[in-house]
Amino acid sequence: MAQKFGKYMLSAEQLFYWTKHSYASVNIAPVVPGHAMLISRRSVPSLSDLSDEEVADLFVAARNVGRVLQQHFEATAVTYAVQDVPIIASLRHSAYPGLLRLT
């Protein structure tokens, strides 16, 4: 199942985790191997515009995906970064946590 992300169409091969309110994708411009994005299914200008249920879903998904990435890449830690700035909002009108593995 493909998913639209701003002006991009994420292919089914790029998507690897889904929940009721969010989904995970490999980053189309990764900083490191294993760089992933957790994206709210509902487009909003800011993280603060998501409901409590959506925020909880998004961050539980981020934790779960982070665990898998850490194990798969044998990383020592995972960095979670929430991008909630106008330039990102102009891309998709949605805040999302990005995950980076640390070695």
Side-chain angles (χ1 to χ4, degrees), residues 3-6 10 15 17-27 36-43 50 54 57-58 61-62 91-99:
Q3 181 74 41
K4 190 164 173 65
F5 179 69
L10 301 174
L15 304 175
Y17 187 88
W18 299 265
T19 68
K20 180 180 177 183
H21 296 292
S22 54
Y23 60 93
S25 170
V26 295
N27 195 301
M37 299 183 299
L38 272 290
I39 303 165
S40 169
R41 290 182 182 265
R42 186 166 68 96
S43 251
L50 294 174
E54 290 168 316
D57 180 89
L58 191 64
L91 174 67
R92 184 178 183 266
H93 296 295
S94 186
Y96 62 88
L99 284 73

Side-chain angles (χ1 to χ4, degrees), residues 32 44 86 101:
V32 295
V44 294
R101 66 156 177 97

Side-chain angles (χ1 to χ4, degrees), residues 46-99:
S46 174
L47 183 68
S48 63
D49 295 315
L50 294 174
S51 70
D52 290 348
E53 181 180 357
E54 290 168 316
V55 170
D57 180 89
L58 191 64
F59 281 90
V60 168
R63 180 197 62 196
N64 293 342
V65 169
R67 282 183 187 152
V68 172
L69 290 176
Q70 188 172 358
Q71 290 172 355
H72 179 76
F73 288 98
E74 299 179 355
T76 58
V78 176
T79 296
Y80 299 88
V82 176
Q83 298 178 339
D84 192 21
V85 296
I87 193 164
I88 298 302
S90 69
L91 174 67
R92 184 178 183 266
H93 296 295
S94 186
Y96 62 88
L99 284 73

